[in-house]
mmCIF file of all heavy atoms in Angstrom:
data_model
loop_
_atom_site.group_PDB
_atom_site.id
_atom_site.type_symbol
_atom_site.label_atom_id
_atom_site.label_comp_id
_atom_site.label_asym_id
_atom_site.label_seq_id
_atom_site.Cartn_x
_atom_site.Cartn_y
_atom_site.Cartn_z
ATOM 1 N N ILE Y 8 114.768 -107.821 -28.822
ATOM 2 C CA ILE Y 8 114.821 -106.744 -27.825
ATOM 3 C C ILE Y 8 113.433 -106.455 -27.295
ATOM 4 O O ILE Y 8 113.225 -106.292 -26.103
ATOM 5 C CB ILE Y 8 115.431 -105.492 -28.455
ATOM 6 C CG1 ILE Y 8 116.893 -105.771 -28.730
ATOM 7 C CG2 ILE Y 8 115.312 -104.306 -27.524
ATOM 8 C CD1 ILE Y 8 117.411 -105.045 -29.908
ATOM 9 N N GLY Y 110 143.998 -95.414 -9.532
ATOM 10 C CA GLY Y 110 143.038 -95.738 -10.584
ATOM 11 C C GLY Y 110 142.164 -96.908 -10.190
ATOM 12 O O GLY Y 110 141.367 -97.386 -10.994
ATOM 13 N N GLN Y 145 130.799 -93.333 -11.602
ATOM 14 C CA GLN Y 145 129.795 -93.970 -12.451
ATOM 15 C C GLN Y 145 128.598 -94.322 -11.603
ATOM 16 O O GLN Y 145 128.744 -94.671 -10.429
ATOM 17 C CB GLN Y 145 130.347 -95.283 -13.004
ATOM 18 C CG GLN Y 145 131.052 -95.166 -14.318
ATOM 19 C CD GLN Y 145 131.746 -96.474 -14.619
ATOM 20 O OE1 GLN Y 145 132.915 -96.638 -14.293
ATOM 21 N NE2 GLN Y 145 131.019 -97.406 -15.213
ATOM 22 N N PHE Y 148 122.337 -98.372 -12.550
ATOM 23 C CA PHE Y 148 120.959 -98.619 -12.110
ATOM 24 C C PHE Y 148 120.596 -100.077 -12.398
ATOM 25 O O PHE Y 148 121.057 -100.655 -13.388
ATOM 26 C CB PHE Y 148 119.982 -97.716 -12.880
ATOM 27 C CG PHE Y 148 120.230 -96.242 -12.690
ATOM 28 C CD1 PHE Y 148 121.142 -95.554 -13.487
ATOM 29 C CD2 PHE Y 148 119.534 -95.536 -11.716
ATOM 30 C CE1 PHE Y 148 121.356 -94.208 -13.320
ATOM 31 C CE2 PHE Y 148 119.744 -94.171 -11.555
ATOM 32 C CZ PHE Y 148 120.664 -93.503 -12.351
ATOM 33 N N ASN Y 212 107.459 -84.772 -42.415
ATOM 34 C CA ASN Y 212 108.279 -84.342 -41.285
ATOM 35 C C ASN Y 212 107.704 -84.912 -39.994
ATOM 36 O O ASN Y 212 107.842 -84.323 -38.934
ATOM 37 C CB ASN Y 212 108.303 -82.818 -41.188
ATOM 38 C CG ASN Y 212 109.174 -82.212 -42.270
ATOM 39 O OD1 ASN Y 212 110.232 -82.737 -42.569
ATOM 40 N ND2 ASN Y 212 108.730 -81.116 -42.852
ATOM 41 N N GLN Y 276 111.480 -86.450 -45.874
ATOM 42 C CA GLN Y 276 111.533 -86.649 -47.320
ATOM 43 C C GLN Y 276 110.448 -85.816 -47.992
ATOM 44 O O GLN Y 276 109.358 -85.660 -47.451
ATOM 45 C CB GLN Y 276 111.300 -88.122 -47.645
ATOM 46 C CG GLN Y 276 111.428 -88.447 -49.126
ATOM 47 C CD GLN Y 276 111.176 -89.907 -49.423
ATOM 48 O OE1 GLN Y 276 110.088 -90.409 -49.196
ATOM 49 N NE2 GLN Y 276 112.188 -90.584 -49.933
ATOM 50 N N THR Y 277 110.790 -85.290 -49.146
ATOM 51 C CA THR Y 277 109.797 -84.680 -50.024
ATOM 52 C C THR Y 277 109.673 -85.594 -51.220
ATOM 53 O O THR Y 277 110.666 -85.874 -51.888
ATOM 54 C CB THR Y 277 110.261 -83.282 -50.462
ATOM 55 O OG1 THR Y 277 110.363 -82.478 -49.304
ATOM 56 C CG2 THR Y 277 109.277 -82.648 -51.400
ATOM 57 N N LYS Y 278 108.481 -86.105 -51.435
ATOM 58 C CA LYS Y 278 108.277 -87.070 -52.521
ATOM 59 C C LYS Y 278 107.371 -86.450 -53.564
ATOM 60 O O LYS Y 278 106.381 -85.815 -53.225
ATOM 61 C CB LYS Y 278 107.638 -88.336 -51.946
ATOM 62 C CG LYS Y 278 107.338 -89.405 -52.974
ATOM 63 C CD LYS Y 278 106.696 -90.615 -52.341
ATOM 64 C CE LYS Y 278 107.658 -91.425 -51.531
ATOM 65 N NZ LYS Y 278 108.740 -92.031 -52.305
ATOM 66 N N GLN Y 279 107.739 -86.615 -54.815
ATOM 67 C CA GLN Y 279 106.905 -86.057 -55.878
ATOM 68 C C GLN Y 279 106.483 -87.146 -56.846
ATOM 69 O O GLN Y 279 107.305 -87.945 -57.296
ATOM 70 C CB GLN Y 279 107.665 -84.971 -56.632
ATOM 71 C CG GLN Y 279 107.873 -83.739 -55.786
ATOM 72 C CD GLN Y 279 108.306 -82.577 -56.630
ATOM 73 O OE1 GLN Y 279 109.402 -82.564 -57.153
ATOM 74 N NE2 GLN Y 279 107.425 -81.596 -56.781
ATOM 75 N N LYS Y 291 98.162 -65.341 -74.134
ATOM 76 C CA LYS Y 291 98.808 -64.330 -73.305
ATOM 77 C C LYS Y 291 97.985 -63.044 -73.370
ATOM 78 O O LYS Y 291 97.514 -62.652 -74.436
ATOM 79 C CB LYS Y 291 100.211 -64.062 -73.843
ATOM 80 C CG LYS Y 291 100.979 -63.045 -73.029
ATOM 81 C CD LYS Y 291 102.404 -62.981 -73.477
ATOM 82 C CE LYS Y 291 102.516 -62.186 -74.763
ATOM 83 N NZ LYS Y 291 103.918 -62.077 -75.193
ATOM 84 N N TYR Y 293 97.873 -58.943 -71.944
ATOM 85 C CA TYR Y 293 98.472 -57.828 -71.201
ATOM 86 C C TYR Y 293 97.363 -57.139 -70.425
ATOM 87 O O TYR Y 293 96.327 -56.802 -70.990
ATOM 88 C CB TYR Y 293 99.113 -56.825 -72.155
ATOM 89 C CG TYR Y 293 100.288 -57.390 -72.915
ATOM 90 C CD1 TYR Y 293 100.152 -57.827 -74.218
ATOM 91 C CD2 TYR Y 293 101.531 -57.497 -72.312
ATOM 92 C CE1 TYR Y 293 101.213 -58.366 -74.916
ATOM 93 C CE2 TYR Y 293 102.597 -58.030 -72.995
ATOM 94 C CZ TYR Y 293 102.443 -58.460 -74.290
ATOM 95 O OH TYR Y 293 103.506 -58.997 -74.965
ATOM 96 N N ARG Y 328 104.260 -72.985 -62.031
ATOM 97 C CA ARG Y 328 105.462 -72.330 -62.552
ATOM 98 C C ARG Y 328 105.399 -72.367 -64.071
ATOM 99 O O ARG Y 328 105.229 -73.428 -64.645
ATOM 100 C CB ARG Y 328 106.717 -73.036 -62.045
ATOM 101 C CG ARG Y 328 106.860 -72.904 -60.546
ATOM 102 C CD ARG Y 328 108.127 -73.519 -59.990
ATOM 103 N NE ARG Y 328 108.114 -73.329 -58.547
ATOM 104 C CZ ARG Y 328 107.477 -74.150 -57.713
ATOM 105 N NH1 ARG Y 328 106.840 -75.188 -58.165
ATOM 106 N NH2 ARG Y 328 107.485 -73.899 -56.417
ATOM 107 N N LYS Y 339 112.862 -71.849 -70.118
ATOM 108 C CA LYS Y 339 113.400 -70.990 -69.055
ATOM 109 C C LYS Y 339 112.249 -70.590 -68.142
ATOM 110 O O LYS Y 339 111.145 -70.344 -68.612
ATOM 111 C CB LYS Y 339 114.019 -69.729 -69.650
ATOM 112 C CG LYS Y 339 115.321 -69.948 -70.395
ATOM 113 C CD LYS Y 339 116.469 -69.711 -69.460
ATOM 114 C CE LYS Y 339 117.844 -69.871 -70.075
ATOM 115 N NZ LYS Y 339 118.076 -70.910 -71.013
ATOM 116 N N PHE Y 340 112.550 -70.501 -66.890
ATOM 117 C CA PHE Y 340 111.543 -70.103 -65.911
ATOM 118 C C PHE Y 340 111.062 -68.690 -66.223
ATOM 119 O O PHE Y 340 111.851 -67.802 -66.532
ATOM 120 C CB PHE Y 340 112.174 -70.151 -64.518
ATOM 121 C CG PHE Y 340 111.255 -69.758 -63.415
ATOM 122 C CD1 PHE Y 340 110.085 -70.451 -63.188
ATOM 123 C CD2 PHE Y 340 111.561 -68.690 -62.589
ATOM 124 C CE1 PHE Y 340 109.235 -70.093 -62.164
ATOM 125 C CE2 PHE Y 340 110.724 -68.326 -61.557
ATOM 126 C CZ PHE Y 340 109.550 -69.028 -61.342
ATOM 127 N N ALA Y 341 109.737 -68.484 -66.130
ATOM 128 C CA ALA Y 341 109.193 -67.176 -66.508
ATOM 129 C C ALA Y 341 108.206 -66.630 -65.485
ATOM 130 O O ALA Y 341 107.492 -65.688 -65.775
ATOM 131 C CB ALA Y 341 108.527 -67.278 -67.871
ATOM 132 N N GLU Y 343 105.694 -67.433 -61.626
ATOM 133 C CA GLU Y 343 104.844 -68.429 -60.983
ATOM 134 C C GLU Y 343 103.707 -67.746 -60.256
ATOM 135 O O GLU Y 343 103.770 -66.558 -59.936
ATOM 136 C CB GLU Y 343 105.664 -69.259 -59.988
ATOM 137 C CG GLU Y 343 106.251 -68.416 -58.870
ATOM 138 C CD GLU Y 343 107.180 -69.180 -57.957
ATOM 139 O OE1 GLU Y 343 107.566 -70.305 -58.285
ATOM 140 O OE2 GLU Y 343 107.522 -68.630 -56.899
ATOM 141 N N ILE Y 359 102.125 -64.054 -64.632
ATOM 142 C CA ILE Y 359 103.498 -64.549 -64.550
ATOM 143 C C ILE Y 359 104.497 -63.433 -64.300
ATOM 144 O O ILE Y 359 105.572 -63.664 -63.772
ATOM 145 C CB ILE Y 359 103.902 -65.381 -65.790
ATOM 146 C CG1 ILE Y 359 103.849 -64.560 -67.067
ATOM 147 C CG2 ILE Y 359 103.034 -66.605 -65.912
ATOM 148 C CD1 ILE Y 359 104.480 -65.282 -68.253
ATOM 149 N N GLU Y 361 105.636 -59.003 -65.366
ATOM 150 C CA GLU Y 361 105.328 -57.734 -66.000
ATOM 151 C C GLU Y 361 106.072 -57.624 -67.326
ATOM 152 O O GLU Y 361 107.180 -58.134 -67.457
ATOM 153 C CB GLU Y 361 105.735 -56.572 -65.079
ATOM 154 C CG GLU Y 361 104.921 -56.557 -63.802
ATOM 155 C CD GLU Y 361 105.368 -55.490 -62.829
ATOM 156 O OE1 GLU Y 361 106.319 -54.761 -63.154
ATOM 157 O OE2 GLU Y 361 104.767 -55.404 -61.754
ATOM 158 N N ASP Y 364 108.445 -54.247 -72.099
ATOM 159 C CA ASP Y 364 108.300 -53.281 -73.194
ATOM 160 C C ASP Y 364 106.923 -52.649 -73.294
ATOM 161 O O ASP Y 364 106.703 -51.819 -74.155
ATOM 162 C CB ASP Y 364 108.611 -53.988 -74.522
ATOM 163 C CG ASP Y 364 110.108 -54.202 -74.715
ATOM 164 O OD1 ASP Y 364 110.877 -53.430 -74.115
ATOM 165 O OD2 ASP Y 364 110.492 -55.129 -75.429
ATOM 166 N N THR Q 35 120.682 -69.300 -65.316
ATOM 167 C CA THR Q 35 119.955 -68.093 -65.687
ATOM 168 C C THR Q 35 119.647 -67.347 -64.404
ATOM 169 O O THR Q 35 118.968 -67.869 -63.523
ATOM 170 C CB THR Q 35 118.659 -68.443 -66.426
ATOM 171 O OG1 THR Q 35 118.997 -69.265 -67.539
ATOM 172 C CG2 THR Q 35 117.957 -67.201 -66.896
ATOM 173 N N TYR Q 37 117.914 -64.322 -62.278
ATOM 174 C CA TYR Q 37 116.778 -63.410 -62.322
ATOM 175 C C TYR Q 37 117.047 -62.263 -61.354
ATOM 176 O O TYR Q 37 117.782 -62.412 -60.391
ATOM 177 C CB TYR Q 37 115.480 -64.137 -61.953
ATOM 178 C CG TYR Q 37 115.115 -65.170 -62.981
ATOM 179 C CD1 TYR Q 37 115.632 -66.458 -62.918
ATOM 180 C CD2 TYR Q 37 114.296 -64.841 -64.037
ATOM 181 C CE1 TYR Q 37 115.324 -67.398 -63.879
ATOM 182 C CE2 TYR Q 37 113.978 -65.776 -65.006
ATOM 183 C CZ TYR Q 37 114.495 -67.055 -64.922
ATOM 184 O OH TYR Q 37 114.192 -67.976 -65.884
ATOM 185 N N GLU Q 104 108.752 -91.514 -59.616
ATOM 186 C CA GLU Q 104 108.629 -90.568 -58.514
ATOM 187 C C GLU Q 104 109.976 -89.914 -58.282
ATOM 188 O O GLU Q 104 111.022 -90.449 -58.634
ATOM 189 C CB GLU Q 104 108.134 -91.253 -57.229
ATOM 190 C CG GLU Q 104 109.069 -92.314 -56.691
ATOM 191 C CD GLU Q 104 108.586 -92.915 -55.370
ATOM 192 O OE1 GLU Q 104 107.419 -93.302 -55.306
ATOM 193 O OE2 GLU Q 104 109.378 -92.984 -54.422
ATOM 194 N N ARG Q 105 109.906 -88.722 -57.716
ATOM 195 C CA ARG Q 105 111.127 -88.000 -57.353
ATOM 196 C C ARG Q 105 111.126 -87.866 -55.852
ATOM 197 O O ARG Q 105 110.089 -87.608 -55.243
ATOM 198 C CB ARG Q 105 111.132 -86.597 -57.957
ATOM 199 C CG ARG Q 105 110.967 -86.545 -59.433
ATOM 200 C CD ARG Q 105 111.291 -85.156 -59.959
ATOM 201 N NE ARG Q 105 110.404 -84.127 -59.476
ATOM 202 C CZ ARG Q 105 109.678 -83.344 -60.277
ATOM 203 N NH1 ARG Q 105 109.740 -83.501 -61.577
ATOM 204 N NH2 ARG Q 105 108.912 -82.412 -59.784
ATOM 205 N N ASN Q 106 112.286 -88.033 -55.259
ATOM 206 C CA ASN Q 106 112.379 -87.903 -53.807
ATOM 207 C C ASN Q 106 113.492 -86.957 -53.449
ATOM 208 O O ASN Q 106 114.517 -86.894 -54.118
ATOM 209 C CB ASN Q 106 112.664 -89.265 -53.161
ATOM 210 C CG ASN Q 106 111.484 -90.195 -53.277
ATOM 211 O OD1 ASN Q 106 110.372 -89.829 -52.907
ATOM 212 N ND2 ASN Q 106 111.709 -91.356 -53.824
ATOM 213 N N PHE Q 107 113.277 -86.243 -52.376
ATOM 214 C CA PHE Q 107 114.331 -85.392 -51.833
ATOM 215 C C PHE Q 107 114.460 -85.763 -50.366
ATOM 216 O O PHE Q 107 113.519 -85.561 -49.599
ATOM 217 C CB PHE Q 107 113.953 -83.918 -52.006
ATOM 218 C CG PHE Q 107 115.044 -82.986 -51.631
ATOM 219 C CD1 PHE Q 107 116.170 -82.854 -52.421
ATOM 220 C CD2 PHE Q 107 114.958 -82.220 -50.476
ATOM 221 C CE1 PHE Q 107 117.189 -81.980 -52.081
ATOM 222 C CE2 PHE Q 107 115.968 -81.345 -50.127
ATOM 223 C CZ PHE Q 107 117.085 -81.230 -50.933
ATOM 224 N N ASP Q 108 115.568 -86.382 -50.025
ATOM 225 C CA ASP Q 108 115.747 -86.886 -48.665
ATOM 226 C C ASP Q 108 116.683 -85.993 -47.893
ATOM 227 O O ASP Q 108 117.772 -85.669 -48.362
ATOM 228 C CB ASP Q 108 116.308 -88.311 -48.711
ATOM 229 C CG ASP Q 108 115.279 -89.290 -49.224
ATOM 230 O OD1 ASP Q 108 114.415 -89.667 -48.428
ATOM 231 O OD2 ASP Q 108 115.314 -89.632 -50.420
ATOM 232 N N TYR Q 109 116.248 -85.611 -46.696
ATOM 233 C CA TYR Q 109 117.071 -84.704 -45.901
ATOM 234 C C TYR Q 109 117.164 -85.154 -44.451
ATOM 235 O O TYR Q 109 117.264 -84.337 -43.551
ATOM 236 C CB TYR Q 109 116.544 -83.269 -46.024
ATOM 237 C CG TYR Q 109 115.055 -83.125 -45.785
ATOM 238 C CD1 TYR Q 109 114.557 -82.800 -44.535
ATOM 239 C CD2 TYR Q 109 114.169 -83.322 -46.828
ATOM 240 C CE1 TYR Q 109 113.195 -82.685 -44.325
ATOM 241 C CE2 TYR Q 109 112.812 -83.207 -46.630
ATOM 242 C CZ TYR Q 109 112.336 -82.882 -45.372
ATOM 243 O OH TYR Q 109 110.987 -82.768 -45.173
ATOM 244 N N GLY Q 123 117.509 -99.495 -29.182
ATOM 245 C CA GLY Q 123 117.200 -100.922 -29.227
ATOM 246 C C GLY Q 123 118.263 -101.732 -29.937
ATOM 247 O O GLY Q 123 118.207 -102.952 -29.928
ATOM 248 N N ARG Q 130 135.577 -98.367 -23.101
ATOM 249 C CA ARG Q 130 136.032 -97.580 -21.958
ATOM 250 C C ARG Q 130 137.511 -97.865 -21.718
ATOM 251 O O ARG Q 130 138.074 -98.782 -22.313
ATOM 252 C CB ARG Q 130 135.248 -97.956 -20.712
ATOM 253 C CG ARG Q 130 133.809 -97.524 -20.793
ATOM 254 C CD ARG Q 130 133.110 -97.875 -19.526
ATOM 255 N NE ARG Q 130 131.726 -97.464 -19.580
ATOM 256 C CZ ARG Q 130 130.833 -97.797 -18.685
ATOM 257 N NH1 ARG Q 130 131.157 -98.555 -17.661
ATOM 258 N NH2 ARG Q 130 129.603 -97.394 -18.791
ATOM 259 N N THR Q 133 140.705 -97.833 -15.593
ATOM 260 C CA THR Q 133 141.287 -96.699 -14.878
ATOM 261 C C THR Q 133 142.651 -97.040 -14.289
ATOM 262 O O THR Q 133 143.468 -96.157 -14.048
ATOM 263 C CB THR Q 133 140.346 -96.242 -13.760
ATOM 264 O OG1 THR Q 133 139.912 -97.374 -13.026
ATOM 265 C CG2 THR Q 133 139.145 -95.519 -14.330
ATOM 266 N N LYS Q 159 122.422 -104.189 -16.508
ATOM 267 C CA LYS Q 159 122.335 -102.980 -15.682
ATOM 268 C C LYS Q 159 122.282 -101.768 -16.615
ATOM 269 O O LYS Q 159 122.641 -101.865 -17.782
ATOM 270 C CB LYS Q 159 123.568 -102.866 -14.777
ATOM 271 C CG LYS Q 159 123.792 -104.080 -13.898
ATOM 272 C CD LYS Q 159 122.945 -103.996 -12.659
ATOM 273 C CE LYS Q 159 123.153 -105.232 -11.815
ATOM 274 N NZ LYS Q 159 123.210 -104.971 -10.407
ATOM 275 N N PHE Q 160 121.852 -100.628 -16.039
ATOM 276 C CA PHE Q 160 121.631 -99.448 -16.876
ATOM 277 C C PHE Q 160 122.552 -98.310 -16.446
ATOM 278 O O PHE Q 160 122.709 -98.041 -15.264
ATOM 279 C CB PHE Q 160 120.169 -99.023 -16.785
ATOM 280 C CG PHE Q 160 119.241 -100.102 -17.274
ATOM 281 C CD1 PHE Q 160 118.735 -101.067 -16.407
ATOM 282 C CD2 PHE Q 160 118.918 -100.181 -18.614
ATOM 283 C CE1 PHE Q 160 117.921 -102.078 -16.870
ATOM 284 C CE2 PHE Q 160 118.091 -101.187 -19.086
ATOM 285 C CZ PHE Q 160 117.592 -102.143 -18.204
ATOM 286 N N GLU Q 254 110.214 -57.947 -64.368
ATOM 287 C CA GLU Q 254 109.638 -58.367 -63.093
ATOM 288 C C GLU Q 254 108.897 -59.677 -63.263
ATOM 289 O O GLU Q 254 107.884 -59.743 -63.945
ATOM 290 C CB GLU Q 254 108.654 -57.302 -62.595
ATOM 291 C CG GLU Q 254 109.282 -56.129 -61.897
ATOM 292 C CD GLU Q 254 109.972 -56.504 -60.598
ATOM 293 O OE1 GLU Q 254 109.345 -57.215 -59.786
ATOM 294 O OE2 GLU Q 254 111.116 -56.085 -60.403
ATOM 295 N N ARG Q 256 106.675 -62.683 -61.488
ATOM 296 C CA ARG Q 256 105.882 -62.882 -60.292
ATOM 297 C C ARG Q 256 106.421 -64.120 -59.582
ATOM 298 O O ARG Q 256 106.679 -65.147 -60.188
ATOM 299 C CB ARG Q 256 104.431 -63.111 -60.667
ATOM 300 C CG ARG Q 256 103.545 -63.238 -59.466
ATOM 301 C CD ARG Q 256 102.125 -63.418 -59.907
ATOM 302 N NE ARG Q 256 101.310 -63.891 -58.822
ATOM 303 C CZ ARG Q 256 100.731 -63.089 -57.954
ATOM 304 N NH1 ARG Q 256 100.876 -61.795 -58.058
ATOM 305 N NH2 ARG Q 256 99.999 -63.581 -56.981
ATOM 306 N N ASP Q 261 109.281 -70.558 -53.149
ATOM 307 C CA ASP Q 261 110.510 -71.182 -53.627
ATOM 308 C C ASP Q 261 111.650 -70.920 -52.655
ATOM 309 O O ASP Q 261 112.430 -69.987 -52.819
ATOM 310 C CB ASP Q 261 110.858 -70.641 -55.021
ATOM 311 C CG ASP Q 261 109.831 -71.093 -56.026
ATOM 312 O OD1 ASP Q 261 109.110 -72.044 -55.721
ATOM 313 O OD2 ASP Q 261 109.748 -70.492 -57.103
ATOM 314 N N ASP Q 335 108.007 -61.799 -72.490
ATOM 315 C CA ASP Q 335 108.023 -60.348 -72.352
ATOM 316 C C ASP Q 335 109.167 -59.868 -71.476
ATOM 317 O O ASP Q 335 109.143 -58.750 -70.981
ATOM 318 C CB ASP Q 335 106.681 -59.878 -71.807
ATOM 319 C CG ASP Q 335 105.657 -59.868 -72.910
ATOM 320 O OD1 ASP Q 335 105.698 -58.936 -73.727
ATOM 321 O OD2 ASP Q 335 104.859 -60.819 -72.996
ATOM 322 N N TYR Q 336 110.141 -60.714 -71.261
ATOM 323 C CA TYR Q 336 111.332 -60.313 -70.508
ATOM 324 C C TYR Q 336 112.496 -60.131 -71.491
ATOM 325 O O TYR Q 336 112.390 -60.476 -72.656
ATOM 326 C CB TYR Q 336 111.708 -61.372 -69.473
ATOM 327 C CG TYR Q 336 110.561 -61.816 -68.607
ATOM 328 C CD1 TYR Q 336 110.138 -63.133 -68.597
ATOM 329 C CD2 TYR Q 336 109.896 -60.896 -67.803
ATOM 330 C CE1 TYR Q 336 109.074 -63.534 -67.793
ATOM 331 C CE2 TYR Q 336 108.839 -61.291 -67.009
ATOM 332 C CZ TYR Q 336 108.427 -62.610 -67.008
ATOM 333 O OH TYR Q 336 107.386 -62.997 -66.222
ATOM 334 N N LYS Q 337 113.578 -59.616 -70.961
ATOM 335 C CA LYS Q 337 114.798 -59.492 -71.756
ATOM 336 C C LYS Q 337 115.813 -60.472 -71.205
ATOM 337 O O LYS Q 337 116.014 -60.555 -69.982
ATOM 338 C CB LYS Q 337 115.379 -58.076 -71.650
ATOM 339 C CG LYS Q 337 114.420 -56.994 -72.109
ATOM 340 C CD LYS Q 337 114.184 -57.054 -73.598
ATOM 341 C CE LYS Q 337 113.082 -56.082 -73.997
ATOM 342 N NZ LYS Q 337 112.643 -56.316 -75.375
#
Side-chain angles (χ1 to χ4, degrees):
Chain Y
I8 291 149
Q145 269 170 267
F148 300 86
N212 286 320
Q276 184 181 63
T277 297
K278 178 181 287 296
Q279 290 194 291
K291 181 171 78 178
Y293 295 100
R328 295 183 181 84
K339 289 266 181 321
F340 180 60
E343 62 186 12
I359 62 170
E361 295 176 0
D364 284 335
Chain Q
T35 305
Y37 294 86
E104 63 177 50
R105 304 193 297 238
N106 291 308
F107 187 72
D108 290 281
Y109 50 94
R130 291 182 180 171
T133 47
K159 304 277 178 140
F160 299 90
E254 279 295 311
R256 184 178 165 87
D261 293 342
D335 282 283
Y336 310 119
K337 301 291 173 192

